[in-house]
Amino acid sequence: MNILLVLIPVTALVVIAGVALFFWAVNHQQFDDLDTPGILPLLDEPAADTPSAPAEDSAGKP
């Protein structure tokens, strides 16, 4: 029965932390675009932030 004196406050802290993290994510626009990240691997063109291969090799030949 004494374990309830520990588990109830610990559970309350976990719930409060979860709610706080949820509101942090909402305030930092983490849920604004839910569709694009799932589509990105299916696109044919490479992403803009990936480095592209150089047009010429080290000898200067294309």
Side-chain angles (χ1 to χ4, degrees):
M1 194 66 165
N2 288 337
I3 193 69
L4 290 177
L5 296 175
V6 174
L7 288 179
I8 291 174
V10 169
T11 304
L13 289 174
V14 169
V15 168
I16 290 170
V19 170
L21 287 174
F22 172 76
F23 282 109
W24 176 87
V26 169
N27 286 335
H28 287 87
Q29 291 84 28
Q30 297 295 311
F31 300 114
D32 282 351
D33 186 13
L34 298 177
D35 295 328
T36 303
I39 296 173
L40 288 177
L42 302 175
L43 296 176
D44 288 336
E45 56 194 45
D49 59 346
T50 57
S52 59
E56 298 179 358
D57 63 0
S58 60
K61 299 177 184 175

